[in-house]
Structure formats: C-alpha cells, structure tokens
Amino acid sequence: MILGFRMRWAIGLVMALFMVGCTAGVTKPSASDGAVAESQESATEVVAPPSSSAPEGFAQLEGTATVELVVNGERIVVEVDGSQAPLTAGNFVDLVQRGVYDGTVFHRVVREPQPFVVQGGDPQSTDPAVPVQRLGTGGFVDPDTQQKRVIPLEITPAGADQPIYSQTFEMAGQTAKPALQHTHGALAMARSQFPDSASSQFYFALADLPFLDGSYAVFGYVTEGLDVVDAIQQGDVLESAVVVEGLDNLATE
C-alpha cells in the first residue's frame, strides 16, 4: 500500500510538471500542485533540435564554484558543478554575480504529502507590486538585449563525456542514470514543459526524487546548511547570493 501510494504521488507530481504552462495565459503557481516547472505566459515557444554539443553564446563554468546564500540570516553553501553541467552552472553563477537573486522570494514550497521542493529565483518577486499569482512566471531579462534569457536543457549521462542538450533522457532513448541526480539537497533548474525554457528559477530537492532524474537539470548540491533549506517557508526571502570561490572558472561570451 505504501509503495502504491508513493508511486501514485510521484506520477501525480510528474503530470503536474507538464501541465504547468501548457495552456495560454498565466498559470498560477501553487504550493500544492507539486510542479517544479517555471510557469509560462504563453505556450508558444521554439523547441531547439536535440544536440550533443554545447550551444554557443552562453556563459559556461569550467570546473566548480562555491556559492553562499543567506536565508533568514542563515548560511546555505552550494557547490555548483560545471564539469557535468557547464552551461547550466555557468548561467547560475553569472546570475549570482549580477545580483539577480538578491531579495528574491521562495514562491513555492511543497512538503505535503511528502517533501518535494523549495523553488525560487523569479526576479519579479523582488517587486512588492507584482501580484503573488504572477510569481513563478518570470525569468532573467538581459539588460543589453531586453530579451528573456532561456537556456537549453542540459543533462550528462553517468560516464559520458558530453551532456545531452535540448531533450530529456526519455526523448533521447537514454537508459543511463544522470551523472548529477536528484538526491536530498540537489540544486536544479525549473522549466516549463518545453525542454529549452529554463531561465533563472531554481529549486532545491527536499528529499531523494529519482523520478525527476533525466528530465530536469541538476547542477549542484548543498554542502552546508541543508537544515536551513529544509526549514524554508513559502514567502521567505533569499537575502543575498555571493560567489565565494571559483568565479575565475566562469567563461562568458
């Protein structure tokens, strides 16, 4: 009975992931729907062809970097892994360095019926005038181009030399496990049902979530302050995010 309940719970969460953003109009994020997707204002997006080579024009992290976050006055230290997720890790480090995450709100926290995720990183959440129902629909808008930055889905199979881009493992027919998996404390990118739609929103895994492996891009892990992550409540503010080591590994175009 317990196994059956967990299986139904996992299937429900995955279904919710692909329901968010699949209809036109703003989808209101909910703390109970289980989605780690980034809500979209429109279902019209260009899906890039699958690729095994890194797309050009994106920041990349060559190696690792250490980022310190402060939430409720407490430290969270994460190690971001550019060796397995160079583009995704590079995007995150670049946004941290730009100060994009300072003052953002954790707009979605899902702990029931079982621990799932803490999600934040929507730049809109720094503006108190933005309605709560819009949180979860935003991403980073590049001040140089005035366009929203989106990055390709990037997941490296265990033992592989290169990540798979722009497709889930299921789409690619990949049977290996990812090199970076959804264990408790994993840091990953939120997206809509379109593989190449992640921008700035990220989430922490509040438990081992193997059913997300191969579908969402993990790019780091909490190394200190996992208890702080586990205690985050919806509406808590990410007071600051700072790269404390490894910034010299960031290569920007």
Side-chain angles (χ1 to χ4, degrees):
M1 287 293 293
I2 293 176
L3 180 60
F5 170 76
R6 288 179 177 173
M7 182 62 69
R8 290 194 300 272
W9 175 75
I11 292 172
L13 292 179
V14 173
M15 288 299 292
L17 292 175
F18 290 95
M19 288 171 63
V20 174
C22 67
T23 57
V26 176
T27 303
K28 180 178 179 180
S30 166
S32 61
D33 64 9
V36 298
E38 180 173 316
S39 302
Q40 300 294 310
E41 294 190 11
S42 171
T44 303
E45 293 202 23
V46 176
V47 179
S51 173
S52 59
S53 59
E56 298 180 353
F58 296 93
Q60 296 196 41
L61 187 69
E62 301 169 348
T64 62
T66 303
V67 177
E68 181 180 290
L69 313 176
V70 176
V71 180
N72 295 324
E74 302 286 342
R75 294 170 65 248
I76 301 167
V77 179
V78 297
E79 182 170 287
V80 182
D81 190 346
S83 64
Q84 302 294 341
L87 190 153
T88 312
N91 176 69
F92 182 78
V93 171
D94 179 54
L95 296 181
V96 169
Q97 185 65 10
R98 290 171 178 263
V100 170
Y101 293 122
D102 295 349
T104 53
V105 171
F106 289 98
H107 62 272
R108 176 178 291 146
V109 177
V110 183
R111 290 195 176 89
E112 299 296 338
Q114 296 181 34
F116 185 47
V117 300
V118 167
Q119 183 174 332
D122 184 345
Q124 295 182 114
S125 64
T126 62
D127 184 353
V130 174
V132 172
Q133 62 266 27
R134 284 186 58 87
L135 300 186
T137 66
F140 171 65
V141 176
D142 191 316
D144 295 329
T145 65
Q146 294 301 307
Q147 298 295 316
K148 180 180 176 180
R149 177 197 289 178
V150 293
I151 61 173
L153 178 63
E154 173 189 56
I155 310 176
T156 301
D161 294 331
Q162 296 288 335
I164 292 174
Y165 288 95
S166 300
Q167 55 187 340
T168 65
F169 276 19
E170 182 179 11
M171 294 165 62
Q174 176 62 244
T175 58
K177 293 182 178 295
L180 304 179
Q181 299 176 29
H182 282 82
T183 55
H184 186 192
L187 175 63
M189 291 300 290
R191 64 173 178 83
S192 75
Q193 78 270 27
F194 299 99
D196 296 349
S197 57
S199 181
S200 62
Q201 291 185 48
F202 63 88
Y203 62 92
F204 291 108
L206 294 178
D208 293 350
L209 305 172
F211 57 91
L212 295 183
D213 288 340
S215 295
Y216 293 84
V218 174
F219 62 95
Y221 295 92
V222 175
T223 58
E224 296 180 41
L226 186 55
D227 58 328
V228 180
V229 172
D230 288 342
I232 292 173
Q233 301 296 318
Q234 189 163 320
D236 283 351
V237 175
L238 200 173
E239 296 159 28
S240 65
V242 179
V243 182
V244 296
E245 188 175 343
L247 184 59
D248 53 345
N249 291 331
L250 181 65
T252 56
E253 292 291 328

